Amino acid sequence: MKKKSPISRSGRFAGGPAADVAQFTESVSFDWRLWRHDILGSMAHAEMLQKIGVLKKNELHAIIRGLNKIGLEIRAGKFKWKPELEDVHMNIEAELTKRVPVGAKLHTARSRNDQVALDIRLWLRDEITALLGDIADLQRTLVSLGEKNSDVLIPGYTHLQRAQPVYLAHHLLAYVEMLERDCERLWDCHSRVNVCPLGSGAIAGSTLPLDRALVAKLLGFVDVNGKVQLTQNSMDAVSDRDFAVEFCAAGALLAVHLSRLAEDLILWASAEFNFVKIADAYTTGSSLMPQKKNPDIAELARGKTGRVFGNLMSLLTLLKGLPMTYNRDLQEDKERLFDTADTVRATTRLMAAMLKNTKVNKPVCACAAADPALLATDLADYLVKKGMPFRQAHHVVGAVVALAEKNGKRLNQLTLAELQDVNPTFGRDALGVFNLKTAMAKRNLTGAPGTKEVAKQLARWREQLS
Ligand code: ARG
């Protein structure tokens, strides 16, 4: 029984692949989503082929029309993908050639090796741009929440133990900073994604006089100064997936940041903290305990880091033993790359949506921030200002804390006499240290959670993100 051969096998092969081989090797079930970029790449390639005389004008137009029509059908969900044609590239090309016989000229001086490298780069470029937009929206959401609660103080924590008071906005802006570094990394990665590999052929370019720069310009492979970006080594171009690794690494770090934000929200939404209330639409119930309201979005944001890290490891492992140049192993890059992009984009969007629907429990925050122990360091600073070496001041305040604990008092309930009993350096102004408002006014170093500084940072971010 002789099966009809897919285009990549005609001529050389006696027949089609065995059914289980076709199933094992196909990628169209997942790489179909590259269709838009595959078509764009083919159009640019065709235009160039016309410029160098391989295609006539009317042939080019027939190909463009055919590709456009196929694109519309794919978008409408009417295109029939055939697994026996292996991948998105051959599905589209075969259908084009069936409809427009001159489509048989389209693959001139092109291999699926440079074609797939091109498609992934085009696709990833768009994903990065979209992700940067998603991140900016999350940053703006954090800034807005900070602005709306600009007077709210909470305890800052180290070791998850109360440390020193901070504005809630300061805590939220810490994430804005992290996310900004993520954006920088993604932009940096974008500059290496944004290089055109087409014209590299299967491994060794082509003997035909291709105009690589024209294709690159048509597809927007130019740097910020408008300089055309072309890969400079055909062997590297068809086997390089560093840009995908970089994206997955930047994505993994973004996932870490989202996970930490999620963890803070999970803690804050617990009865123990009770700093925030997440709107019902962004929480879920328990199938057994009727009273439960669970922060599942935040938990999934935290949980999904696992697959994002896994994707990075998969890609690194995939590449490490590959001999030059293209090997079919590389087909395994796409699902990992897609999954990272889908996961970090969805998580970023959902975290923003949840934060837009989260209310701060101001009285509870105020009560927690009013814990005078948070200002123990300020008391030591007070002694330093009186001339005491810090190490001694630290010791003295430690003794004050122990005394308060022994007497069952809060730090600010100790009398001046009790303080002076521990150390005579304490003056009448010592207890003034526990005024939270003045304490916050004093923290005005760059990057500190002082009243003026936090307002300044909020304004800076508001401006930068607008
Ligand atoms: N589906 C393939 C991939 O994703 C396209 C390239 C196939 N190239 C080849 N020489 N078989 O990598």
Side-chain angles (χ1 to χ4, degrees), residues 175-244:
Y175 286 102
V176 178
E177 297 280 346
M178 291 178 227
L179 293 169
E180 188 64 15
R181 291 194 296 274
D182 290 321
C183 288
E184 286 168 15
R185 268 183 288 274
L186 287 165
W187 257 122
D188 192 52
C189 167
H190 184 277
S191 69
R192 277 176 297 281
V193 175
N194 194 28
V195 184
C196 187
L198 211 65
S200 301
I203 167 170
S206 171
T207 57
L208 297 171
L210 305 185
D211 186 346
R212 292 194 62 204
L214 172 64
V215 175
K217 261 188 249 161
L218 289 172
L219 294 172
F221 285 106
V222 288
D223 69 8
V224 282
N225 304 313
K227 187 167 174 279
V228 171
Q229 303 293 300
L230 295 178
T231 55
Q232 298 293 312
N233 182 301
S234 63
M235 295 178 75
D236 178 40
V238 293
S239 62
D240 169 29
R241 294 293 184 273
D242 293 3
F243 62 90

Side-chain angles (χ1 to χ4, degrees), residues 27 31 86-87 89 112-113 116 326 328 330-331 334:
S27 57
D31 68 14
E86 284 189 24
D87 53 28
H89 324 293
R112 274 185 297 157
N113 297 355
V116 71
Y326 179 86
R328 191 62 174 268
L330 288 175
Q331 182 165 293
K334 276 168 282 299

Side-chain angles (χ1 to χ4, degrees), residues 8 25-28 30-31 34 85-90 111-117 120 202 238 241 326-334:
S8 65
T25 54
E26 69 83 26
S27 57
V28 71
F30 51 86
D31 68 14
L34 295 173
L85 288 176
E86 284 189 24
D87 53 28
V88 61
H89 324 293
M90 291 214 289
S111 155
R112 274 185 297 157
N113 297 355
D114 58 352
Q115 187 177 3
V116 71
I120 306 174
V238 293
R241 294 293 184 273
Y326 179 86
N327 298 270
R328 191 62 174 268
D329 314 44
L330 288 175
Q331 182 165 293
E332 289 285 309
D333 62 354
K334 276 168 282 299

Side-chain angles (χ1 to χ4, degrees), residues 132-162:
L132 286 168
D134 296 334
I135 297 175
D137 184 56
L138 175 57
Q139 287 178 302
R140 279 191 288 271
T141 306
L142 288 161
V143 170
S144 295
L145 192 61
E147 285 172 340
K148 238 186 279 160
N149 299 280
S150 59
D151 55 338
V152 174
L153 290 162
I154 55 169
Y157 296 78
T158 63
H159 311 266
L160 203 55
Q161 307 293 319
R162 284 183 179 177

